[in-house]
Amino acid sequence: MGSYLDIERLASLVRKKRGSRGLRETSAEIGNVSPSTLSRVESGKMPDMETFLALCNWLEVPPAELFRTSEEDQLDTPEAIAIQLRADKNLDPAIANALASLVKAAYRDLSQNNGELKQDP
């Protein structure tokens, strides 16, 4: 049984709390986290420990709440692909997010059609 940081949950919590405020304003509020680092975290990139702890303090979330440990909590395939795409340093974050959305939509469509691809007429 392995443990992992639920980076998608962290990114979601950060995006939600930041809301429509700018990256610079939010990073100044957090302290010791640059706007570019904040942007990377929001895109699903893994933060370093100092940044992770600063974000947890700002979010008022105990760090342990963002870790997953059970076998049943393993990521499904589309989510695992999304994490890998967002972690790829060669991809622009917007492209990675778009590809992740496409993969999730394709899986959702396949599951609704019992695993069969729809044929257009």
Side-chain angles (χ1 to χ4, degrees):
M1 173 170 72
S3 297
Y4 64 93
L5 174 61
D6 188 346
I7 188 66
E8 289 298 314
R9 181 161 180 242
L10 175 63
S12 175
L13 289 171
V14 170
R15 282 190 301 267
K16 184 177 179 180
K17 184 164 182 177
R18 181 169 75 87
S20 62
R21 292 182 298 154
L23 289 169
R24 289 182 194 271
E25 177 186 347
T26 305
S27 69
E29 178 184 318
I30 297 167
N32 208 23
V33 175
S34 71
S36 60
T37 297
L38 190 58
S39 176
R40 284 192 298 274
V41 169
E42 287 186 2
S43 297
K45 304 281 193 253
M46 185 69 69
D48 61 36
M49 185 59 73
E50 185 177 337
T51 299
F52 173 66
L53 294 174
L55 290 172
C56 287
N57 288 335
W58 176 69
L59 292 167
E60 299 176 355
V61 173
E65 283 189 23
L66 295 171
F67 284 91
R68 302 287 175 235
T69 57
S70 71
E71 290 297 322
E72 59 197 13
D73 202 20
Q74 293 296 315
L75 298 173
D76 60 354
T77 301
E79 196 59 39
I81 292 170
I83 288 171
Q84 291 298 318
L85 287 169
R86 291 182 181 119
D88 188 333
K89 293 178 181 172
N90 296 317
L91 284 178
D92 177 271
I95 302 274
N97 286 328
L99 289 171
S101 294
L102 284 172
V103 168
K104 288 178 182 180
Y107 266 81
R108 205 170 29 253
D109 189 47
L110 285 171
S111 68
Q112 291 172 355
N113 293 308
N114 297 319
E116 296 179 19
L117 290 173
K118 284 194 252 181
Q119 300 292 324
D120 289 332

